[in-house]
């Protein structure tokens, strides 16, 4: 057919070493390091995260590489910076080819090899690029965004200005054979499993060539997990219902009529983190039983979705916070005129512009709901950690806890992520390695990055380096082995901007 399978042959799966440590990898969406214990905000009720920090090392100066879900996860799950993953958005992923920045509103003409129908949503151009790259005779492609058509060309004879087209030349397959963080454990003989959001959750895998799809690897990236090991179609299994989404009549806020355990009443839509928690408990139980029976170590990843919008939670968790009128808001709720406008991002929850403050009552309500979501999510983290202990594997399991990026709650006129401000890039990070007793209860002020997580776990568990690959991060193992030490004197975060009006610098916050 001239379209070889772009999936590389993986290296053989090694026999497992029963002496290697297990991994419990807990990821949280949109969690800023406004937490109790070593993070210093004891007004946040999160006893399970606080307990984990007291048993491990809390890194209070940890930073993501880009403050948005998919690029950040592509980075730390591959161990590479965004400059190398080439994933700066919700469209591209490492299993795709890289065709560079396409020409916008240009249709390439020439000899047509084929006319493909691709996705009409995210990732259509990436799918078109990859379909061309894996075709031996293809030299260029043009993607019709409105009709979801992909023209593959063997030669280019013209470039016609045509609205609605993206076009470029065949690309390169530099990243498709990378070994991801969980995949390295799988290939090292581990049982690898996942519940919830690990990779970003827009599922791909549709189209003429494998693994191209909607901009994300299908089903959380099949090469990363043991067969049937990952939760399939996370958005369908554990959807993030909006606060106005209900099947039991009108609602006006995010407080769901549910028990403190998250069991909804009256047949309302379930809470996504309860679904993920239930699935994680099942998969972790199976992994521990298998470990006990066979000696096979496990890598269990759990990705909780709150406090991501919408702030939907069981109503009883509100008891841990004061009345909304007593909630403090950001000290600087607008963007200072001295700050370059491109530092900000809109649209976001702020409203018309970062220079206009959100009404105080609305900001207080959002903060109260965000905090309550943190407490609700913490309860599910506790379920998983308690099960690990009950199963007798708390002492031979490395626990890593962090978020994908921070979240602004009105600081500098910014809400959500999407910025280079401290509130967007700084994340909570806790690592518990029980066999390193000197690391228990430590607080590290060293600069560290999420790109360091992959090399850290393979160091601490004894799995060893990835053959013939170079990761961008460094192991944080020396900090756990020698508290008070550091491994680098920098952290690097970045965020690309596409201003709507390039001719008006003062409006660069519109991007």
């Amino acid at each position: 057919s001239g379209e070889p399978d772009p999936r590389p042959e993986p290296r053989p799966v090694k026999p497992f070493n029963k002496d290697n440590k297990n991994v419990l990898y807990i990821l949280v969406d949109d969690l800023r390091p406004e937490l109790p214990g070593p993070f210093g905000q004891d007004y946040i009720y999160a006893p399970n995260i606080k307990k984990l920090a007291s048993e491990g090392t809390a890194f209070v100066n940890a930073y993501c590489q880009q403050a948005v879900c998919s690029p950040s996860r592509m980075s730390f799950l591959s161990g590479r910076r965004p400059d190398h993953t080439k994933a700066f958005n919700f469209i591209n992923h490492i299993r795709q080819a890289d065709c560079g920045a396409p020409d916008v509103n240009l249709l390439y003409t020439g000899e047509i090899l084929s006319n493909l129908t691709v996705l009409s949503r995210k990732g259509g151009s990436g799918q078109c690029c990859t379909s061309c790259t894996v075709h031996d005779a293809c030299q260029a492609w043009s993607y019709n965004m409105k009709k979801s058509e992909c023209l593959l060309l063997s030669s280019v004879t013209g470039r016609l200005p045509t609205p609605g087209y993206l076009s470029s030349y065949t690309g390169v397959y530099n990243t498709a054979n990378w070994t991801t963080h969980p995949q390295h454990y799988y290939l090292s003989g581990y049982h690898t499993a996942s519940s919830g959001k690990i990779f970003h959750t827009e599922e791909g895998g549709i189209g003429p060539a494998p693994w191209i799809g909607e901009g994300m690897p299908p089903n959380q990236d099949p090469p990363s997990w043991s067969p049937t090991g990952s939760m399939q179609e996370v958005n369908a299994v554990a959807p993030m219902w909006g606060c106005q989404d209900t099947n039991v009549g009108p609602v006006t806020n995010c407080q769901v009529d549910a028990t403190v355990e998250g069991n909804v009443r009256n047949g309302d839509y379930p809470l996504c983190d309860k679904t993920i928690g239930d699935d994680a408990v099942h998969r972790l139980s199976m992994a521990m039983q298998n470990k006990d029976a066979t000696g096979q170590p496990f890598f269990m990843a759990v990705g909780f979705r709150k406090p991501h919008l919408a702030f939907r939670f069981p109503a009883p968790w509100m008891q841990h916070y004061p009345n909304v009128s007593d909630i403090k808001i950001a000290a600087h709720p607008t963007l200072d005129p001295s700050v370059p406008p491109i530092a900000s991002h809109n649209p976001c929850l702020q409203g018309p512009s970062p220079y206009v403050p959100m009404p105080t009552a609305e900001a207080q309500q959002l903060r109260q709901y965000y905090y309550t979501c943190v407490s609700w999510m913490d309860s599910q983290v506790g379920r998983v950690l308690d099960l690990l202990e009950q199963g007798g594997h708390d002492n031979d399991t490395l626990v890593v806890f962090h978020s994908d990026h921070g979240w602004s709650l009105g600081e500098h006129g910014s809400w959500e992520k999407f910025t280079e401000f401290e509130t967007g890039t700084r994340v909570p990070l806790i690592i518990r390695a029980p066999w390193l007793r000197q690391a228990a209860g430590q607080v590290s002020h060293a600069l560290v990055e999420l790109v360091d997580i992959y090399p850290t776990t393979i160091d601490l568990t004894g799995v060893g380096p990835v053959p013939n690959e170079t990761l961008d991060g460094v192991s944080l193992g020396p900090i756990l082995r020698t508290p008070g030490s550091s491994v680098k004197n920098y952290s690097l975060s970045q965020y690309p901007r596409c201003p709507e009006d390039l001719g008006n610098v003062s409006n660069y916050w519109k991007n």
Side-chain angles (χ1 to χ4, degrees), residues 23-329:
V23 179
L24 176 58
Y25 189 26
I26 303 175
L27 298 175
V28 182
D29 214 345
D30 287 13
L31 180 66
R32 59 196 255 150
E34 189 174 4
L35 293 168
F39 297 99
Q41 288 83 37
D42 285 331
Y43 54 85
I44 301 295
Y45 183 77
N48 297 293
I49 296 172
K50 183 177 180 179
K51 180 175 182 288
L52 179 63
S54 72
E55 298 168 342
T57 296
F59 294 84
V60 297
N61 286 312
Y63 294 84
C64 69
Q65 274 45 77
Q66 186 176 334
V68 66
C69 303
S70 183
S72 178
R73 291 167 186 261
M74 283 289 160
S75 174
F76 63 71
L77 288 168
S78 69
R80 275 84 164 186
R81 300 186 186 278
D83 295 277
H84 292 153
T85 66
K86 305 299 184 183
F88 297 98
N89 51 38
F90 290 92
I91 298 174
N92 305 112
H93 65 78
I94 61 172
R95 304 302 189 194
Q96 288 178 323
D98 176 16
C99 293
D103 289 325
V104 179
N105 294 328
L106 277 181
L107 168 64
Y108 289 2
T109 60
E111 184 178 351
I112 298 176
L113 290 171
S114 59
N115 187 346
L116 310 174
T117 298
V118 297
L119 290 174
S120 60
R121 295 169 290 171
K122 298 173 184 175
S125 62
Q127 183 173 349
C128 197
C129 158
T130 306
S131 297
C132 179
T133 303
V134 300
H135 196 304
D136 291 339
C138 185
Q139 294 298 313
W141 53 272
S142 285
Y143 171 57
N144 186 320
M145 293 181 281
K146 293 182 178 180
K147 295 184 178 180
S148 303
E149 293 178 347
C150 172
L151 292 176
L152 303 186
L153 307 174
S154 61
S155 62
V156 176
T157 58
R159 291 151 51 99
L160 301 177
T162 309
Y165 273 88
L166 298 174
S167 301
S168 189
Y169 291 87
T170 187
V172 292
Y173 247 133
N174 290 333
T175 65
N177 62 347
W178 282 354
T179 305
T180 68
H181 187 182
Q183 184 183 8
H184 183 47
Y185 281 89
Y186 173 66
L187 296 176
S188 299
Y190 276 60
H191 173 73
T192 59
S194 74
S195 295
K197 182 178 178 178
I198 309 304
F199 289 86
H200 196 66
T201 47
E202 268 65 54
E203 303 287 5
I206 303 170
W211 297 7
I212 304 166
E214 194 176 335
M216 306 298 137
N219 292 326
Q220 298 294 290
D221 191 50
S224 292
W225 313 106
S226 298
T228 72
S230 69
M231 177 184 279
Q232 304 290 289
E233 299 185 13
V234 177
N235 281 348
V237 175
M240 292 191 294
W241 296 106
C243 291
Q244 305 303 318
D245 293 330
T246 180
N247 58 4
V248 295
V251 295
T252 57
N253 58 46
C254 300
Q255 304 175 49
V256 176
D257 183 11
T259 66
V260 70
E261 296 84 10
N263 296 309
V264 298
R265 298 186 176 99
N266 302 323
D268 203 354
Y269 294 129
L271 293 146
C272 57
D273 278 352
K274 177 64 163 62
T275 302
I276 292 168
D278 290 347
D279 188 74
V281 164
H282 171 71
R283 292 181 189 274
L284 179 57
S285 296
M286 298 292 288
M288 291 191 296
Q289 291 172 18
N290 179 62
K291 169 70 174 178
D292 294 338
T294 68
Q296 183 183 24
F298 59 82
F299 179 105
M300 177 72 207
V302 184
F304 292 110
R305 309 197 77 161
K306 298 303 167 188
H308 191 290
L309 288 168
F311 298 149
R312 189 170 180 265
F313 53 84
W317 288 95
M318 288 283 286
Q319 66 182 304
H320 297 291
Y321 295 96
N323 292 330
V324 66
S325 59
D326 295 324
I327 298 290
K328 295 181 179 179
I329 65 170

Side-chain angles (χ1 to χ4, degrees), residues 428-439:
L429 170 61
I430 303 169
I431 300 177
R432 186 180 76 184
W435 51 94
L436 297 177
R437 296 182 179 179
Q438 68 273 32

